[in-house]
Amino acid sequence: MIQSATLKQLSIILPNTNKALSQVLNDLGTKKTATLTQSKDLKSIINTLFKESAQNTTQDKALLELVKNNPTLKNLGSVSQDVKELLKLIKTPQAPDTKQLQQATVPNKNEPSLQIQQNVKQNTTQQKHLPLVKILESFLTNVKDIQQSDVKTKIQNSGVFLESTLKNAKLPLENLKTTLTQLSKSLDTTQLPQLKELNTQIKNILSSDLFKNTNTQDIKLITKLTQEIKKPMESIQKILDSSFDKALSPKDTVFTKEFKIVFDKVQLLNKPQELQNATQTKEQLSHDLKATLLKSHEEISKSNHPQKQEVLKAIDKLTLQIDYHQLVSHLSNSSSLYIPYAWEQLEDGNITLKSAKNKKFFCDIELQLKDYGELKLRLGMFEQNQLSINIDTKNEEFRTLLKQNIGSLKEQLFSVGIHPQNINFIEEKTTPTDAYNAYGKNLEMGFEVKA
């Protein structure tokens, strides 16, 4: 269950003040309406929606409309702007502790006492909250500086996938056992006698007590297991490096590309530090925005930061924005994400990713721009590199500007191996919904983000 952060400062618009919300609640049934209308803040509303969806997925569409039509949730603002404001608050000079002040009052022949005190004040906050500062700054990369290699990382660390990533994370020892079993099955077909003997050793390890408990955190047991696996792996490596063996049996399974991939994976996994769940989980959490926000909230609440309450409110708001995208993703069977980049023109925006039958993928981008207003894009990818784009904007000046730059867009797409089959502008006589639905039929569930 995804838990949302408390944000008592933001009140929900209740049915008696919002007709759209009232209509959605009426459609959901008397019992559900009574439950939701009794909720008094965003935390209870969102938690109730998650519970209702888990119990009855047939009403996810109605629940989704409830969320999207709520003014408070719709107007949470730009994530990048809130990241900037939070950073500014965190970097506010914080009063040092008593010991630091006492040390700072002792004159130093190399540095005036006053200067020491100023340095202590300036450095205290960033030293205490450096992990959060670093992660927040990473989400302020200018949209013009997007690097293909870092897009997937930003999506994974956005906080939207935190709970699902941890829930679905395979136990390291179980992963090693599965991969080693796969390696053994490949060796079943080898014709080299020495490899057959090594495969027997591997099978004995797989059936031994060392792999009996894949949940263990016993470092001694884990170290012993890795040492046992290391022995046959080193022998296999020598055969892989032997030009004589390769010349003798060039078509043997051990010399195939597929075998080398599995072999390298075992080598990578067969390390004590990689096989401890705590270490792996800590690494995942250290880069995740939501996990860092939650941890920082607890730390700052105990600090003497001069703007503690304002910082906590800012963290709550940013966490709620992530919770909102998690909820929308859950209810729409898609992946909803905020724009994880800084962009001066952007007032608000989100990305929704879905998969469809026959290996087709769709990406809906909705932007609210300062100078040009609303812009909607639907990108459809099929046959691995064939792309269709639908563009919808009511601003004629912006429409003309986009049309003038279509040639440049196509060139950039071709340069990265993507072939734009068609780029269409939604005309006023065609509703965006109809145009999008024509491309979005048969969307499947359970889309995993791939960037």
Side-chain angles (χ1 to χ4, degrees), residues 188-201:
D188 285 339
T189 60
T190 184
Q191 298 302 313
L192 298 176
Q194 62 269 45
L195 279 176
K196 290 182 178 181
E197 183 179 341
L198 290 171
N199 191 25
T200 299
Q201 294 178 28

Side-chain angles (χ1 to χ4, degrees), residues 23 27 73 169 180 207 243 250 265 303 338 401 409 431:
Q23 183 60 51
D27 292 340
L73 295 174
L180 192 62
S207 60
S243 55
K265 187 176 179 180
S303 74
Y338 56 87
L401 184 63
L409 174 62
T431 66

Side-chain angles (χ1 to χ4, degrees), residues 251-272:
K251 294 184 179 180
D252 194 90
T253 185
V254 75
F255 298 116
T256 62
K257 181 180 179 181
E258 291 75 17
F259 180 86
K260 187 64 167 60
I261 291 173
V262 179
F263 177 84
D264 288 344
K265 187 176 179 180
V266 172
Q267 294 280 64
L268 184 65
L269 293 171
N270 192 44
K271 300 173 184 177

Side-chain angles (χ1 to χ4, degrees), residues 262-313:
V262 179
F263 177 84
D264 288 344
K265 187 176 179 180
V266 172
Q267 294 280 64
L268 184 65
L269 293 171
N270 192 44
K271 300 173 184 177
Q273 64 270 27
E274 293 292 331
L275 297 175
Q276 286 186 285
N277 295 338
T279 301
Q280 189 180 66
T281 302
K282 184 178 180 180
E283 178 67 18
Q284 288 177 313
L285 295 179
S286 67
H287 300 292
D288 186 88
L289 178 57
K290 182 178 178 181
T292 307
L293 285 171
L294 294 174
K295 182 179 179 182
S296 299
H297 188 285
E298 181 179 353
E299 294 174 350
I300 293 173
S301 64
K302 299 175 183 177
S303 74
N304 61 341
H305 196 287
Q307 299 191 60
K308 179 166 69 175
Q309 295 307 316
E310 288 75 10
V311 172
L312 293 177
K313 289 178 184 179

Side-chain angles (χ1 to χ4, degrees), residues 161-252:
F161 309 101
L162 172 62
E163 287 83 359
S164 61
T165 298
L166 293 178
K167 180 181 178 181
N168 296 327
K170 198 167 187 178
L171 295 173
L173 270 175
E174 184 65 36
N175 196 9
L176 174 60
K177 184 176 182 180
T178 301
T179 309
L180 192 62
T181 301
Q182 186 179 354
L183 184 78
S184 178
K185 287 182 178 179
S186 297
L187 289 174
D188 285 339
T189 60
T190 184
Q191 298 302 313
L192 298 176
Q194 62 269 45
L195 279 176
K196 290 182 178 181
E197 183 179 341
L198 290 171
N199 191 25
T200 299
Q201 294 178 28
I202 292 174
K203 289 180 183 295
N204 289 336
I205 295 172
L206 286 168
S207 60
S208 71
D209 290 340
L210 293 173
F211 266 125
K212 190 174 182 179
N213 181 13
T214 54
N215 289 312
T216 184
Q217 289 294 291
D218 187 337
I219 188 62
K220 291 184 179 180
L221 183 64
I222 291 174
T223 301
K224 184 178 180 181
L225 173 63
T226 57
Q227 290 173 345
E228 289 298 315
I229 295 175
K230 187 177 180 181
K231 296 173 185 177
M233 293 298 288
E234 287 180 342
S235 298
I236 294 173
Q237 183 65 66
K238 290 179 181 179
I239 294 173
L240 290 174
D241 296 337
S242 170
S243 55
F244 175 78
D245 286 323
K246 191 170 184 179
L248 189 65
S249 304
K251 294 184 179 180
D252 194 90

Side-chain angles (χ1 to χ4, degrees), residues 69 96 145-146 164 367:
N69 283 308
D145 300 324
I146 290 179
S164 61
L367 307 174

Side-chain angles (χ1 to χ4, degrees), residues 16-59:
N16 59 338
T17 59
N18 186 281
K19 292 182 179 179
L21 182 58
S22 178
Q23 183 60 51
V24 173
L25 288 173
N26 288 335
D27 292 340
L28 294 179
T30 306
K31 185 177 180 180
K32 188 175 295 182
T33 300
T35 303
L36 287 175
T37 52
Q38 288 172 4
S39 302
K40 296 180 179 180
D41 56 41
L42 286 175
K43 178 183 178 181
S44 55
I45 284 283
I46 291 181
N47 279 339
T48 300
L49 290 173
F50 270 120
K51 290 176 183 177
E52 293 291 348
S53 176
Q55 293 169 3
N56 186 2
T57 58
T58 60
Q59 295 200 30

